[in-house]
C-alpha cells in the first residue's frame, strides 16, 4: 500500500491524517513489523495492522489524538493475549502519529518516492515527533534511532491476452502486489477501465517484449491464437523467468512440448512450463473462477521467488518514545 500517498490525499482533503504502524513484534501477531494504516479524522482508513480488537483500540487512540490536536507520537506497547483476548499471544509496539497541513510538503516528498519503488527512511524522535530523512541523506549513523522500509515491491507480470480470462485475471490482480503489462493485438479487446497496477499495450512484437522484460518477471500466455501462444511461450522459455504459464489443457501442453523440443528448447525449461494453469482441484471453467485459481498460484510463486530477498529493515529497540 502506498501509505504516504493516502496520507497526502487525506491531508489535502481533510487537513489532518494519522499513520498507525506496527513498529515491532515479539512472538505471534496478526501483522508483521512495517504494516501500516492511514487514517482520516472521521475514522475512515486504508490499510490494516491486523484487524480485531488491536486495530479497534489503535483507531480509538488515533481518534483521541485528533480530538486533542495532539501531534506528539505515541508508542503503545500491547500484549495481544492478556490485554485484548486475541489468540495470537504475542506482543506488539504500535506507533501512532498525526499530521496536519504543515507536514504536507514532507508527506508529498515521501509519496513521490513511493511512486519510484522501495526506499529506506532513517528515523528519530525530535521533540516528541518522528523526524524522517532518506537513508542516502543521513551520513551519521548515530542520528538514527530506527529505520523504516517504504514503497511497494511489485512483481512484474507480462500478461498476453485480453479475452474473458485475461479480463477477469486483471481485475483479480488489481489489489495485489503485481505490476501488469497487458498485451493484445486487438486494441478493442481491452475494457474501458483498467486497474492502476495494469497497463494496456497493443501487441506488435511479442519477442521484443519478452527480450526486454526484467529477469524477475512472470509471463502468462492466454491469447486468442494458438500459433501466437506458441511463439510467445517459446520466447519466454528461452529465458529463465521464475514463472511461465500457458492457458490450456494437458493435450495442448503435449502438442506444444513436441514443438518446443523440435526448435531446441532445453528440456528443463520445457518441464518448468506451467500448463494447465491454476491450483489443482478446481474444475470450474468460469473465467472468474479460473482467474481466482491462477491468482492463488501466482501469489504462491511470488512467495517462492521473493523468499531470498532481504526482509524489511527492523526497528531498533532504542526507538521507543
Amino acid at each position: 500500500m502506498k501509505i504516504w500517498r493516502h496520507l497526502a490525499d487525506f491531508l489535502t482533503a481533510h487537513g489532518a491524517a494519522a499513520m498507525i504502524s506496527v513498529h515491532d513484534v515479539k512472538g505471534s501477531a496478526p501483522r508483521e513489523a512495517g504494516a501500516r494504516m492511514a487514517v482520516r479524522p472521521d475514522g475512515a482508513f486504508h490499510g490494516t495492522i491486523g484487524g480485531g480488537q488491536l486495530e479497534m483500540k489503535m483507531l480509538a487512540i488515533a481518534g483521541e489524538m485528533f480530538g486533542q490536536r495532539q501531534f506528539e507520537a505515541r508508542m503503545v506497547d500491547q500484549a495481544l493475549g492478556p490485554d485484548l483476548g486475541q489468540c495470537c499471544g504475542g506482543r506488539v509496539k504500535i506507533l501512532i502519529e498525526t499530521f496536519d497541513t504543515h507536514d504536507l510538503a514532507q508527506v508529498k516528498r515521501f509519496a513521490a518516492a513511493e511512486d519510484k519503488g522501495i526506499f529506506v527512511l532513517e528515523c528519530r524522535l525530535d521533540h516528541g515527533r518522528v523526524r524522517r530523512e532518506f537513508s542516502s541523506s543521513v551520513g551519521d549513523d548515530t542520528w538514527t534511532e530506527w529505520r523504516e522500509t517504504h514503497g511497494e515491491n511489485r512483481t512484474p507480470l507480462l500478461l498476453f491476452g485480453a479475452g474473458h480470462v485475461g479480463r477477469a485475471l486483471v481485475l483479480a490482480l488489481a489489489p495485489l502486489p503485481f505490476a501488469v503489462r497487458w498485451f493484445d493485438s486487438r486494441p478493442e479487446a481491452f475494457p474501458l477501465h483498467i486497474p492502476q497496477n495494469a497497463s494496456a499495450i497493443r501487441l506488435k512484437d511479442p519477442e521484443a517484449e519478452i527480450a526486454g522484460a526484467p529477469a524477475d518477471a512472470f509471463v502468462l500466455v492466454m491469447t486468442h491464437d494458438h500459433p501466437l501462444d506458441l511463439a510467445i511461450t517459446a520466447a519466454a522459455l528461452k529465458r529463465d523467468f521464475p514463472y511461465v504459464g500457458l492457458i490450456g489443457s494437458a493435450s495442448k501442453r503435449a502438442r506444444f512440448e513436441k514443438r518446443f523440443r523440435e526448435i531446441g528448447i532445453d528440456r528443463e525449461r520445457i518441464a518448468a512450463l506451467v500448463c494447465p494453469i491454476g491450483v489443482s482441484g478446481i474444475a470450474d471453467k468460469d473465467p472468474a473462477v479460473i482467474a481466482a485459481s491462477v491468482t492463488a498460484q501466482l501469489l504462491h510463486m511470488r512467495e517462492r521467488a521473493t523468499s531470498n530477498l532481504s526482509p524489511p529493515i527492523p526497528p531498533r529497540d532504542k526507538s521507543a518514545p
Side-chain angles (χ1 to χ4, degrees):
M1 183 183 76
K2 292 186 176 182
I3 187 74
W4 296 105
R5 176 57 57 201
H6 285 300
L7 291 171
D9 291 344
F10 289 172
L11 286 172
T12 301
H14 303 278
M19 180 165 64
I20 303 176
S21 309
V22 179
H23 185 75
D24 195 16
V25 174
K26 296 290 188 296
S28 177
R31 290 295 306 272
E32 69 287 351
R36 300 179 180 96
M37 303 173 64
V39 186
R40 291 188 339 199
D42 62 3
F45 60 87
H46 284 281
T48 177
I49 57 169
Q53 293 296 319
L54 173 67
E55 193 164 283
M56 290 176 61
K57 181 175 180 179
M58 300 307 132
L59 285 168
I61 293 173
E64 292 173 3
M65 293 170 68
F66 279 129
Q68 298 168 3
R69 294 191 60 79
Q70 179 184 340
F71 293 99
E72 290 189 358
R74 289 185 62 177
M75 187 75 77
V76 183
D77 190 349
Q78 183 71 63
L80 298 175
D83 296 345
L84 298 178
Q86 294 193 201
C87 297
C88 301
R91 194 173 196 94
V92 295
K93 289 183 179 179
I94 304 296
L95 176 63
I96 306 176
E97 307 167 73
T98 54
F99 306 87
D100 66 9
T101 53
H102 295 93
D103 303 303
L104 185 56
Q106 178 82 308
V107 169
K108 285 185 174 180
R109 281 180 64 210
F110 298 149
E114 279 180 327
D115 293 335
K116 299 177 182 178
I118 303 294
F119 63 99
V120 175
L121 293 176
E122 309 282 342
C123 310
R124 70 170 184 174
L125 284 173
D126 185 5
H127 296 91
R129 303 204 68 193
V130 178
R131 180 178 170 186
R132 294 177 170 89
E133 294 291 345
F134 290 108
S135 185
S136 59
S137 65
V138 176
D140 183 4
D141 191 57
T142 62
W143 186 94
T144 303
E145 295 182 11
W146 74 91
R147 295 183 176 92
E148 296 174 346
T149 302
H150 291 270
E152 296 178 318
N153 180 23
R154 292 183 176 271
T155 297
L157 170 65
L158 278 65
L159 175 60
F160 294 90
H164 296 300
V165 176
R167 287 185 174 213
L169 182 60
V170 166
L171 290 177
L173 293 173
L176 299 176
F178 293 90
V180 184
R181 285 175 60 82
W182 192 14
F183 302 97
D184 202 291
S185 58
R186 309 158 298 167
E188 71 279 3
F190 295 111
L192 293 177
H193 302 288
I194 296 171
Q196 289 186 341
N197 68 331
S199 301
I201 302 163
R202 183 173 183 179
L203 183 62
K204 296 180 181 179
D205 188 346
E207 292 191 6
E209 296 292 347
I210 293 292
D216 62 341
F218 288 7
V219 179
L220 193 49
V221 184
M222 50 179 66
T223 79
H224 62 290
D225 183 79
H226 276 210
L228 184 57
D229 280 355
L230 180 66
I232 296 171
T233 307
L237 290 176
K238 291 175 183 177
R239 293 193 57 187
D240 192 22
F241 292 119
Y243 176 91
V244 179
L246 170 67
I247 198 168
S249 62
S251 59
K252 180 178 179 180
R253 179 187 184 116
R255 290 196 302 271
F256 276 38
E257 281 189 352
K258 180 176 183 295
R259 183 63 184 131
F260 294 151
R261 290 192 294 271
E262 290 173 351
I263 62 178
I265 295 177
D266 185 84
R267 289 182 179 273
E268 289 186 2
R269 291 302 300 146
I270 295 174
L273 174 66
V274 179
C275 179
I277 55 175
V279 297
S280 61
I282 299 177
D284 195 327
K285 294 184 178 181
D286 183 88
V289 175
I290 295 173
S293 175
V294 173
T295 297
Q297 184 178 64
L298 290 172
L299 287 169
H300 176 69
M301 295 302 297
R302 182 181 187 274
E303 187 76 17
R304 289 177 56 185
T306 59
S307 61
N308 293 327
L309 296 179
S310 299
I313 300 172
R316 300 179 179 181
D317 289 340
K318 69 176 182 178
S319 64

